[in-house]
Amino acid sequence: MPAMNDMPLLRSAVVATAASLLLSACISAPPVRPSVVDSTTPAQRLAAVDAIAGVDDTELSVQPLRDAQVDDLHASAIAKRKAGDLDGAAAALNEALLLVDNDPGILQERAEVALLQADWTRAESLAKKAVDLGSRTGPLCRRHWATIEQSRLARAEKENAVSAHAQIEGCTVPGIKRF
């Protein structure tokens, strides 16, 4: 049992503890911000890429000559993608990339499949590589940057997505007016 001369000290400690508990109960927790859930589906992201890329018949679009085996793998990937077999499409494009790892068109196709698979980081990485290897103008250039933009938006990197979107405008060069 505490000594009589320790009682005021003990009483002060109890009062201080009780006061701090009461004050802490009065402090409200910071408001919970509702998290914004992006409900954009991978298919909608790809549709956004398609819409941005567009094709202008006055615009020059350069496509590389391809090996027949790569063309077959590309055709197989397109068919599998249309049938909803994204893993099969990815496998065919991965095999094509083993043969020609510097083909911006194949890289872009693979990036788009990654976009459909919600593999945002891979989609961006492949599209960046395609940008580095490909033409700086035309619909394929716009597809690269639109894929990068959508990948960043999917990861809630809005500032980075804005910078990717700004690159899209540079991919368009006025076409030749034909009479």
Side-chain angles (χ1 to χ4, degrees), residues 7 11 14 23 34 41 48 71-72 74 91-92 100 105 115 138 142 148 154-155 157-158 163 167 172 178:
M7 289 304 254
R11 197 171 306 155
V14 169
L23 284 174
T41 67
D71 271 343
D72 289 344
H74 181 247
V100 289
L115 200 64
R142 288 192 298 276
I148 292 168
R155 294 191 314 262
E157 297 176 2
K158 292 184 181 184
S163 71
Q167 299 295 321
T172 302
R178 297 186 180 148

Side-chain angles (χ1 to χ4, degrees), residues 26-97:
C26 293
I27 298 174
S28 63
V32 177
R33 293 183 185 180
S35 62
V36 177
V37 177
D38 184 355
S39 61
T40 308
T41 67
Q44 289 169 325
R45 293 200 181 284
L46 185 59
V49 170
D50 291 338
I52 287 173
V55 177
D56 181 353
D57 64 352
T58 65
E59 192 172 27
L60 178 63
S61 179
V62 178
Q63 296 295 322
L65 294 175
R66 290 198 180 116
D67 167 286
Q69 187 177 1
V70 172
D71 271 343
D72 289 344
L73 289 166
H74 181 247
S76 172
I78 290 172
K80 288 178 181 185
R81 181 169 143 181
K82 285 181 181 177
D85 179 8
L86 296 178
D87 291 339
L93 291 168
N94 288 341
E95 192 174 336
L97 286 170

Side-chain angles (χ1 to χ4, degrees), residues 112-168:
E112 291 176 12
V113 170
L115 200 64
L116 288 170
Q117 293 173 312
D119 188 349
W120 316 126
T121 303
R122 184 160 194 171
E124 181 175 353
S125 173
L126 290 162
K128 279 182 177 177
K129 185 173 180 181
V131 165
D132 291 340
L133 295 169
S135 172
R136 301 282 189 245
T137 60
L140 193 54
C141 175
R142 288 192 298 276
R143 289 189 87 77
H144 302 326
W145 284 110
T147 301
I148 292 168
E149 175 189 29
Q150 288 301 314
S151 297
R152 291 174 178 177
L153 285 172
R155 294 191 314 262
E157 297 176 2
K158 292 184 181 184
E159 296 81 17
N160 291 334
V162 168
S163 71
H165 187 80
Q167 299 295 321
I168 294 170

